[in-house]
Amino acid sequence: MLNWTIREEGYEEQNAPSLGNRYLIGNGYMGIRGTLEEYEADKLPAVNLAGIYDRAGGWREPINLPNGCFSYLRVDAEIYKLPEKQPVSHGIELDYRYGIFRRHTTWHTARGNVTLTTERFASMAKVNLIGIRFRVTADFHADVELVTGIDCDVWDLNGPHLEEVSMGGQEEELLVTARTQEQKIPVAVAETVFASYPVEMKQVVKGNKILHRIFFITKPGEQYTTDKWVGVYTGKDCDNPAKEALELVRIKKENGYDSSLRAHKKCWDELWKHSEVIIKGDSNAMQAVNYSLYHLHSIAPRHTESLSIPARGLSGQTYKGAVFWDTEMFMLDFFLMTDPATARILMKYRIDTLEGALQKAAHYGYEGAFYAWESQEGGYDACTDYNVTDVFTGRPQRTYFKDKQVHISAAVVYGILRYVEWTGDESLLDTKGVKTIVECAKFYYSLLLHSLTKDYYEIRDVIGPDEYHERINNNGYTNRMAKFTLEKAAEVVKKAMADGKLPAEYDGEELLRRFQDGAEKLFLPKPSEDAAHRNVIEQFDGYFDMEDATLEEVRSRLLHEKEYWGGAYGVASHTQIIKQADVVTWLNLFSQEYDEEVLRANWAYYEPRTEHGSSLSAGMYAMLACKIGEPDRAYPFFLKSAMADLKGGGKEWAGLVYIGGTHPAAAGAAYMTVVEGFGGIRLENGKLVCKPSLPREIQGMQFRIFYRGQEYEVKIEGTKGTVTAL
Ligand code: BGC
């Protein structure tokens, strides 16, 4: 049986930021960091909203709302808060089956002990709602004041983002309204409370907080329960966010806490029914995988028709809340297999943001669609030209992620076509879907360079997945993905022509000529034949000529622990040390095109040269290891992905930029390794097959997957796998 709860007993103030990520709850509309109710901005609490961004200075990031979870206790007129008042005992827990965060804290007071327990959830049934339950017990007649309300002192990485903040009360409710600075989007947070025992209640405004003060006297040993509802709306949800937020909390209060909680849990039961992964013989892995899936579920934008998932989920403003290739290449499969409707929403976002991609390509003088490296609403690229701050000078450092990481458009095409292949739903390939694919292919065609003395095309001046080497030529991964895009676009154009569905603006024959020509003549580096690199594919032109220093040597050259390894002067830039799986990512996607010895040689060559400086890296090594029949080698890399958030310890800094948060791409990679790697789930000629290859630690597995609208149950025992339609 899976233990669906993680716990942290004791209190260490310095762990607040990392626990905020690990104990995150969310419902796709908002994420609530796993911080204590009494925490103020310096401890990084956040109610982080999906898909709403604001600019402050040169930086655009998602907004954190006024914190409607804010609360603390006063006993006999003295305040009891962490970290100021050290507790007798304290702990937090996360029930990740149901997305419920809990805390318990006992303080010793002059007259006896007082215990506060709370629980909170971001409702899956009604995404604008947060439910919180407080319980207070004392072993004496304590004079208690529960203070709870909305804190407008918001934690921002680059704020403030809200203006015209107004705090007001209405009979039993508190209300904060504000609007974003840049787009003037109105936001509203309302709250109301209900106490099941006689209390005296007051509303007050104190500094930037609007609060309910709830007074009562405890009888020894008796429990006093107070429920609280927080309603959150923005101008993107409705015309009058304040009215909706107030109405929501009033209705929910009338219906009672248990009814909201029941509805919320029912939604989670339904999600797990289709997605829980049972792993026999390895409870550690089972917990890590399902905990990873919990995070993916908590940030899935089910409430919309078109939105994607930021690289750090809804854990805050890190990475500007932007969408990267992480969605298509790492997270998508989980949704395709367990929740295809959400997969559609994710891909629809790319189709709907085509306009931004067309503009970006035009800006750089290319044709077609160059998708945002860090996509925000409308496909706006939030990546700045100076995305890293130099630790030595404090100056912004020129980086080329935005202008040179051209493989992003191929990821979009890959995602859309994988969606169509896996679900059988061709509706995304309507006019706009076809256009998206054609424009991405046009982009790559316009990137191709033809030397007067060579009979092949090249793609120069790019960054591949390994970001430590900038502005390189013929990155194998990029070229293969461009070729894939050109080939697939040609197929899509052919089909659209046959069906009479090619948008009128296109000359189908000319597109076909170009795409086929581009795909055919695009240079792909081949497995090397020289003795020192036998069968290894060179990551880009000249990579083998770079200094072949070990990872330890390169690390020892750092002058500062937060120094950036890439860029012009980075310690890795002139060596063969790479940030993350690059050639290995390519070979994992196209493994059927190479002999096993080539796959092996590349895994063995690149792994020791990989810093794994991105949480995306380990999963690709795990999956390729499975494909060469080495599940035991895959296992530690798999566990690293699956533990990325459970264990934490990932990189928190890129230069001076804070990049801490959750790692949904690693979670997605852990899922793919389990299901597709160990489980051997794949398509062979359009047929779903299961050819398991389990690591030593795992005896069997059981899970469900959707394929083409049908749900299947997969059971694996040792080397035997069965797939049964449900
Ligand atoms: C990685 C990218 C990734 C991004 C967001 C970077 O550190 O190098 O590949 O897309 O983080 O997760």
Side-chain angles (χ1 to χ4, degrees):
M1 268 301 279
L2 177 56
N3 177 7
W4 288 98
T5 307
I6 58 165
R7 281 199 181 83
E8 196 82 16
E9 286 299 321
Y11 183 74
E12 306 253 8
E13 185 183 350
Q14 75 273 15
N15 292 344
S18 61
L19 296 179
N21 298 319
R22 197 173 314 154
Y23 287 79
L24 185 92
I25 56 173
N27 57 18
Y29 176 88
M30 60 183 147
I32 305 175
R33 290 175 56 79
T35 48
L36 302 179
E37 293 79 14
E38 59 267 47
Y39 280 175
E40 299 183 41
D42 63 321
K43 294 275 183 307
L44 325 189
V47 179
N48 182 251
L49 284 193
I52 296 198
Y53 301 90
D54 185 70
R55 182 187 300 280
W59 209 259
R60 280 187 103 241
E61 60 191 17
I63 59 166
N64 290 334
L65 278 187
N67 179 12
C69 303
F70 181 76
S71 320
Y72 62 92
L73 215 55
R74 200 176 266 131
V75 182
D76 293 347
E78 217 174 305
I79 292 178
Y80 284 84
K81 274 184 186 175
L82 287 172
E84 290 86 352
K85 273 269 191 311
Q86 280 305 305
V88 180
S89 80
H90 169 80
I92 57 173
E93 65 174 51
L94 174 72
D95 170 345
Y96 64 90
R97 180 166 177 96
Y98 293 118
I100 302 174
F101 171 90
R102 297 196 181 90
R103 71 88 66 90
H104 71 87
T105 310
T106 301
W107 285 280
H108 191 60
T109 78
R111 295 199 295 137
N113 285 345
V114 176
T115 300
L116 169 71
T117 67
T118 65
E119 70 172 34
R120 66 171 179 253
F121 62 95
S123 174
M124 271 288 178
K126 178 73 188 162
V127 292
N128 309 82
L129 181 74
I130 305 167
I132 309 180
R133 172 162 271 184
F134 304 91
R135 290 198 171 101
V136 179
T137 14
D139 56 10
F140 64 106
H141 289 279
D143 213 333
V144 176
E145 182 187 340
L146 174 63
V147 184
T148 184
I150 307 169
D151 183 2
C152 299
D153 246 335
V154 177
W155 166 54
D156 280 319
L157 285 182
N158 295 279
H161 294 294
L162 299 177
E163 62 179 25
E164 297 194 356
V165 179
S166 122
M167 297 183 279
Q170 295 217 352
E171 294 174 27
E172 296 181 6
E173 297 88 21
L174 306 179
L175 177 70
V176 170
T177 57
R179 58 181 203 179
T180 59
Q181 305 249 15
E182 186 187 14
Q183 295 177 353
K184 315 293 176 207
I185 301 169
V187 299
V189 182
E191 74 106 90
T192 191
V193 288
F194 170 78
S196 58
Y197 48 94
V199 292
E200 197 194 318
M201 202 153 356
K202 277 190 199 158
Q203 288 183 7
V204 291
V205 171
K206 232 182 138 207
N208 284 329
K209 301 173 178 50
I210 180 159
L211 303 165
H212 273 121
R213 300 178 63 184
I214 305 167
F215 302 90
F216 54 97
I217 295 174
T218 58
K219 287 188 187 144
E222 219 159 277
Q223 194 173 66
Y224 293 79
T225 304
T226 309
D227 297 329
K228 163 161 167 157
W229 292 265
V230 181
V232 169
Y233 277 87
T234 77
K236 285 208 167 181
D237 310 325
C238 60
D239 292 336
N240 191 340
K243 182 168 157 271
E244 297 288 340
L246 283 168
E247 249 170 52
L248 178 66
V249 295
R250 273 179 205 142
I251 294 171
K252 293 299 167 185
K253 178 172 167 174
E254 245 173 68
N255 297 348
Y257 182 86
D258 291 333
S259 120
S260 294
L261 185 61
R262 252 195 320 273
H264 165 75
K265 287 171 88 170
K266 215 169 137 206
C267 294
W268 273 105
D269 277 332
E270 185 59 25
L271 293 173
W272 288 119
K273 189 171 132 195
H274 304 291
S275 59
E276 183 180 351
V277 175
I278 294 169
I279 298 180
K280 286 188 199 146
D282 192 345
S283 54
N284 209 13
M286 178 148 107
Q287 183 177 48
V289 167
N290 287 289
Y291 172 82
S292 298
L293 306 188
Y294 158 76
H295 275 283
L296 289 168
H297 279 314
S298 302
I299 53 180
R302 295 186 184 85
H303 60 286
T304 66
E305 283 179 359
S306 167
L307 193 64
S308 191
I309 300 178
R312 289 290 174 269
L314 299 177
S315 62
Q317 293 159 322
T318 305
Y319 276 120
K320 310 180 195 99
V323 176
F324 292 63
W325 69 316
D326 304 32
T327 304
E328 285 74 19
M329 308 310 290
F330 295 83
M331 300 178 217
L332 181 65
D333 278 22
F334 167 67
F335 293 107
L336 283 176
M337 295 185 193
T338 65
D339 183 4
T342 295
R344 189 178 201 284
I345 294 168
L346 301 175
M347 290 306 99
K348 183 91 177 19
Y349 168 80
R350 293 301 198 176
I351 293 173
D352 290 344
T353 54
L354 173 63
E355 193 48 43
L358 294 172
Q359 282 170 16
K360 180 174 169 186
H363 171 80
Y364 288 108
Y366 297 114
E367 285 181 26
F370 181 7
Y371 271 85
W373 179 243
E374 300 186 8
S375 182
Q376 294 184 341
E377 78 282 50
Y380 169 79
D381 200 336
C383 190
T384 65
D385 289 342
Y386 296 84
N387 225 36
V388 168
T389 306
D390 180 48
V391 287
F392 302 110
T393 60
R395 291 195 183 122
Q397 219 174 312
R398 181 66 165 103
T399 47
Y400 293 89
F401 310 135
K402 176 183 171 183
D403 12 11
K404 302 296 175 192
Q405 225 159 146
V406 299
H407 64 81
I408 178 65
S409 290
V412 170
V413 173
Y414 176 84
I416 295 171
L417 294 178
R418 187 147 172 88
Y419 172 82
V420 173
E421 178 187 37
W422 200 268
T423 61
D425 169 16
E426 298 205 347
S427 66
L428 276 188
L429 290 184
D430 59 3
T431 312
K432 244 182 127 190
V434 168
K435 221 178 141 182
T436 302
I437 291 166
V438 167
E439 295 299 330
C440 288
K442 278 171 66 182
F443 169 61
Y444 288 115
Y445 193 75
S446 76
L447 280 182
L448 301 180
L449 291 175
H450 193 183
S451 152
L452 295 177
T453 56
K454 289 174 186 158
D455 63 352
Y456 54 82
Y457 302 155
E458 298 181 275
I459 300 182
R460 294 180 157 255
D461 198 7
V462 300
I463 302 182
D466 159 32
E467 291 181 338
Y468 289 164
H469 295 91
E470 299 187 343
R471 310 198 66 168
I472 44 141
N473 299 333
N474 292 316
N475 168 245
Y477 173 81
T478 304
N479 287 17
R480 184 63 189 89
M481 291 303 284
K483 183 174 156 76
F484 165 86
T485 305
L486 291 161
E487 279 167 354
K488 291 294 170 186
E491 284 172 24
V492 166
V493 167
K494 242 191 226 160
K495 183 160 187 307
M497 284 166 77
D499 298 347
K501 286 189 178 157
L502 189 71
E505 67 205 84
Y506 294 132
D507 173 346
E509 293 300 339
E510 177 58 13
L511 288 180
L512 280 181
R513 193 193 62 71
R514 289 184 179 195
F515 296 167
Q516 283 163 349
D517 173 57
E520 201 178 299
K521 294 213 189 117
L522 179 50
F523 169 77
L524 283 188
K526 291 199 173 51
S528 166
E529 287 176 4
D530 76 57
H533 302 104
R534 176 135 352 256
N535 281 329
V536 181
I537 303 180
E538 193 173 31
Q539 188 177 295
F540 52 83
D541 289 354
Y543 170 83
F544 287 152
D545 301 332
M546 303 191 117
E547 185 194 346
D548 197 13
T550 65
L551 191 53
E552 286 60 44
E553 275 173 294
V554 169
R555 186 174 279 120
S556 74
R557 295 173 189 167
L558 288 173
L559 300 176
H560 188 295
E561 52 163 344
K562 290 178 189 161
E563 188 181 336
Y564 183 56
W565 288 44
Y569 310 109
V571 287
S573 310
H574 303 281
T575 72
Q576 291 189 36
I577 294 303
I578 62 174
K579 179 177 180 186
Q580 66 201 85
D582 193 304
V583 171
V584 163
T585 303
W586 161 20
L587 295 182
N588 178 48
L589 292 172
F590 297 94
S591 57
Q592 72 288 355
E593 295 176 359
Y594 293 92
D595 293 341
E596 198 181 298
E597 54 182 1
V598 171
L599 304 180
R600 270 177 194 281
N602 282 278
W603 199 103
Y605 188 84
Y606 283 108
E607 201 290 317
R609 292 171 175 79
T610 305
E611 189 230 347
H612 297 293
S614 160
S615 63
L616 274 53
S617 190
M620 285 295 162
Y621 279 93
M623 284 185 279
L624 188 61
C626 291
K627 290 189 180 154
I628 52 180
E630 298 257 22
D632 291 324
R633 254 208 217 178
Y635 188 79
F637 292 91
F638 147 73
L639 217 51
K640 192 170 172 193
S641 300
M643 292 279 199
D645 291 324
L646 192 55
K647 208 162 134 216
K651 261 198 189 169
E652 300 227 66
W653 299 92
L656 288 180
V657 179
Y658 178 68
I659 56 169
T662 56
H663 302 83
Y671 178 81
M672 284 197 277
T673 307
V674 160
V675 168
E676 299 167 45
F678 300 151
I681 289 290
R682 69 188 80 138
L683 299 181
E684 279 178 10
N685 303 321
K687 224 179 142 264
L688 194 60
V689 298
C690 172
K691 296 187 176 162
S693 158
L694 301 180
R696 207 177 292 124
E697 288 79 358
I698 298 179
Q699 282 142 26
M701 300 201 296
Q702 194 175 329
F703 51 83
R704 292 179 173 194
I705 49 172
F706 283 100
Y707 173 57
R708 304 216 155 199
Q710 168 71 50
E711 194 171 16
Y712 296 87
E713 175 116 72
V714 180
K715 281 191 181 153
I716 297 167
E717 293 289 341
T719 51
K720 198 171 161 286
T722 51
V723 180
T724 318
L726 289 167

